[in-house]
Amino acid sequence: MSALVHVVEGGLSSQPGIDGLVRACGYRTKAYGSADEILSQIPNDDSASCIVVDVEMPDTVVPDLFDRLSRAGSNLPVICLSGPSDVRTGVRAIKAGAEDFFTKPVASEELIVAIDRAIARHRLASEQEGRMRAARQRLLLLTRREREVFDLVIRGKMNKQVAFALGTTERTVKAHRHKVMEKLQIRSVVELVSCAERLGLLRFADP
């Protein structure tokens, strides 16, 4: 299934047909007549998509759009279109977090390339977040003692040091360490440390 592009076009647009252009290039679209309309039904960002919005509207709408999308937990990339004399609003949009900004009329090829790029970035971010969610879920499978071993190993402690810290034997530590690697689907200590770093766990580890 092709990616979905949310298109917000006001009635004053000097370059009508953005929705049709995007569909002609193979994307599915959902059209909105105003910023209020898309804000009343915040798009689901579970699948790769982006938002193209015509910001030829009151200045206050731009920061409000990004603020409300953010508060709703949406991380969809937003591409803004603005009138040729409305650069200030475009700058406000970029500062607010827009993925890209174009003054109208914009070349069709440029807009589609920007949409392709935004959707590719969102797809990559979604895949990474999916891997992180899976890793966090696997972390919950560890027993209390396995988690203690995990926390010491990611700090660079050797089996002997882990055994001393936990008051157990190296053999027992090796068994726990094997279970940790098995449950987290990790094959090496380097991968283990890398996983902990991605999850933000090293920030809480003692030096």
Side-chain angles (χ1 to χ4, degrees):
M1 183 181 291
S2 59
L4 176 64
V5 178
H6 302 273
V7 181
V8 184
E9 285 188 278
L12 298 177
S13 176
S14 63
Q15 185 175 341
I18 297 299
D19 181 78
L21 165 67
V22 174
R23 278 189 284 106
C25 290
Y27 285 115
R28 294 179 297 122
T29 65
K30 183 171 182 180
Y32 306 83
S34 68
D36 283 340
E37 188 177 338
I38 193 172
L39 287 169
S40 70
Q41 41 186 312
I42 302 294
N44 184 304
D45 59 4
D46 288 343
S47 59
S49 56
C50 74
I51 299 172
V52 177
V53 56
D54 184 341
V55 295
E56 199 169 304
M57 50 188 71
D59 275 0
T60 54
V61 171
V62 176
D64 184 55
L65 172 66
F66 285 94
D67 182 56
R68 287 173 63 182
L69 284 172
S70 176
R71 282 191 282 114
S74 173
N75 64 352
L76 291 181
V78 180
I79 296 170
C80 291
L81 305 179
S82 178
S85 60
D86 197 20
V87 176
R88 184 183 66 174
T89 301
V91 171
R92 288 169 65 91
I94 291 294
K95 287 183 177 179
E99 174 83 7
D100 220 328
F101 164 68
F102 296 98
T103 55
K104 298 178 295 185
V106 57
S108 302
E109 296 79 6
E110 286 186 64
L111 179 58
I112 295 303
V113 166
I115 290 173
D116 290 343
R117 185 169 54 239
I119 287 178
R121 188 183 71 76
H122 182 246
R123 180 178 287 113
L124 178 61
S126 296
E127 290 172 353
Q128 291 174 336
E129 178 55 32
R131 287 194 291 270
M132 295 302 290
R133 281 197 301 268
R136 285 191 286 268
Q137 287 300 311
R138 288 194 291 269
L139 198 62
L140 295 176
L141 298 176
L142 301 183
T143 64
R144 180 181 60 81
R145 181 46 61 99
E146 287 167 355
R147 181 56 191 264
E148 290 173 341
V149 171
F150 169 86
D151 289 338
L152 290 168
V153 170
I154 64 174
R155 300 184 210 180
K157 304 297 183 183
M158 306 299 290
N159 288 341
K160 184 176 181 179
Q161 294 171 304
V162 175
F164 178 79
L166 299 180
T168 188
T169 66
E170 283 188 64
R171 182 175 180 178
T172 300
V173 168
K174 287 180 181 178
H176 285 312
R177 192 162 142 173
H178 175 75
K179 292 300 293 183
V180 167
M181 306 285 263
E182 187 178 70
K183 289 181 178 180
L184 297 183
Q185 299 178 19
I186 286 173
R187 293 169 294 181
S188 70
V189 173
V190 173
E191 279 188 60
L192 194 69
V193 173
S194 178
C195 175
E197 187 172 27
R198 289 195 303 273
L199 291 172
L201 300 176
L202 291 182
R203 293 196 302 269
F204 306 105
D206 295 331

